Amino acid sequence: MNSKGFSTDLLTALYIQFGAWLLGRSGPHKAALKINGHYSFFRTLDTTWGAAPSYEQLLQYFGARGLRKAENPMRFLTETGIVTVSAQLRDQDTERRRLAAILMEPADSWSAQLLSDYVDTLRAKNQQGGIDLRSVRLAARAAANLLKSAQVKSGTLPSQKSLELFWRDSPGQVATVTGFIGHLNKRHGLKLQVKPDARWLSTAKRQKAERDLVAMVGDTADDDFEARWIVKSLAYFHNLPRVSRTGLVFQPQDFQGVAGYNVSYQDKTLWVPSAESFLRADPVV
């Protein structure tokens, strides 16, 4: 019945072929339940192109997120060789959409203009092959965060004091935001310090890690609290800020009468205190 809704023979045949593919993949019961839900995707192909478009055209129309929602039709198109997926194009589309979302974040037109001017310079570098889209997006993310933190009013610019406050609250973005600071200095004649002293930054990172630990104490009921606590503890006590919870191996272990955990990290065993021990006293490390 659905196949009668297409205006071209190509899409009629493609949809019938998809139905047979879905039948073989899911069985008659599931295929019958799902087939109507996929009609709109093929109907869009029919009204927009009249045939199966290229992957680039699909990306431009649906976006990477939209294509993920059309999982079965896309799997059919790729498995049958009708469409060839490009991971590079998919990643670029995702980065463009993330960047567009960042540009929409500023609540005032002045901050939006400052951010847009900076992103324009980054895009020019990208087009010249100097940086990739991911780097553009990360730099824009840091710039947007600084503008939000600084709360600049119309016609004003971030000050050294507001920049230092941002560094203190977000020490992990110090390197990423340097490009934006340099851009502000050059474009607006400022003399902001591009990055903090290394010793100051080290202290700021430790203070931030400690604040993160204290903030976690109220979330002890979460199912993954132990793993999250250990990751943050490794950052604070062992200066390991990028440890992933995935594959984390640990076990409860007291040390000098203090409750905590032994954590396997690379070829080492590291100890961190439990949340209760951290609050009661300065743990031995």
Side-chain angles (χ1 to χ4, degrees):
M1 292 174 61
N2 286 344
S3 65
K4 301 299 182 182
F6 299 104
S7 61
T8 64
D9 292 340
L10 282 173
L11 259 299
T12 300
L14 190 65
Y15 187 73
I16 292 173
Q17 186 182 354
F18 170 70
W21 176 88
L22 189 63
L23 176 65
R25 182 178 184 84
S26 304
H29 181 66
K30 288 185 178 180
L33 293 174
K34 293 180 178 180
I35 188 67
N36 287 337
H38 300 305
Y39 172 75
S40 61
F41 176 84
F42 288 92
R43 178 62 177 160
T44 299
L45 304 191
D46 181 52
T47 57
T48 306
W49 296 283
S54 67
Y55 183 69
E56 185 173 7
Q57 290 172 308
L58 287 169
L59 266 180
Q60 290 174 350
Y61 189 92
F62 292 100
R65 180 179 296 181
L67 293 182
R68 283 195 295 270
K69 292 180 180 179
E71 179 182 0
N72 275 328
M74 285 303 300
R75 186 168 292 172
F76 158 72
L77 292 173
T78 56
E79 286 184 5
T80 54
I82 297 170
V83 170
T84 301
V85 172
S86 168
Q88 182 180 6
L89 289 177
R90 181 186 61 215
D91 293 344
Q92 287 177 349
D93 177 81
T94 299
E95 293 297 350
R96 288 191 189 97
R97 291 175 187 270
R98 288 176 177 174
L99 179 60
I102 292 171
L103 287 168
M104 295 294 293
E105 287 183 5
D108 62 281
S109 59
W110 174 242
S111 294
Q113 179 182 332
L114 291 174
L115 180 60
S116 179
D117 288 346
Y118 176 52
V119 170
D120 284 345
T121 66
L122 295 174
R123 281 173 168 159
K125 291 180 181 179
N126 170 251
Q127 292 172 359
Q128 295 167 4
I131 55 175
D132 59 23
L133 275 174
R134 181 175 182 273
S135 297
V136 173
R137 191 255 303 172
L138 292 174
R141 171 77 278 156
N145 289 348
L146 172 58
L147 289 170
K148 182 178 180 180
S149 173
Q151 297 181 333
V152 294
K153 297 179 180 180
S154 180
T156 65
L157 296 160
S159 64
Q160 188 65 46
K161 182 178 180 180
S162 64
L163 178 57
E164 290 173 359
L165 287 173
F166 176 74
W167 285 340
R168 184 173 291 109
D169 291 337
S170 306
Q173 290 195 311
V174 166
T176 317
V177 83
T178 55
F180 183 49
I181 301 169
H183 168 80
L184 292 176
N185 285 343
K186 182 178 180 180
R187 183 65 61 89
H188 300 280
L190 302 180
K191 295 183 179 179
L192 297 173
Q193 182 182 347
V194 176
K195 58 182 179 180
D197 174 77
R199 182 177 297 179
W200 184 95
L201 179 58
S202 177
T203 301
K205 287 181 177 180
R206 183 168 176 79
Q207 291 172 343
K208 175 67 164 53
E210 184 174 14
R211 291 196 300 271
D212 288 345
L213 283 176
V214 173
M216 281 190 63
V217 174
D219 299 328
T220 54
D222 288 359
D223 292 338
D224 63 344
F225 174 80
E226 280 188 321
R228 292 192 298 113
W229 173 265
I230 288 170
V231 167
K232 293 293 186 182
S233 295
L234 290 172
Y236 179 66
F237 292 104
H238 298 284
N239 195 29
L240 299 172
R242 292 182 177 83
V243 176
S244 172
R245 279 182 283 168
T246 304
L248 194 64
V249 178
F250 60 91
Q251 60 182 2
Q253 179 66 54
D254 289 359
F255 179 74
Q256 296 185 1
V258 179
Y261 305 91
N262 272 348
V263 186
S264 298
Y265 178 76
Q266 296 180 352
D267 58 346
K268 302 177 181 178
T269 298
L270 305 175
W271 185 85
V272 297
S274 66
E276 295 79 7
S277 300
F278 176 74
L279 288 178
R280 281 199 300 268
D282 293 333
V284 179
V285 294

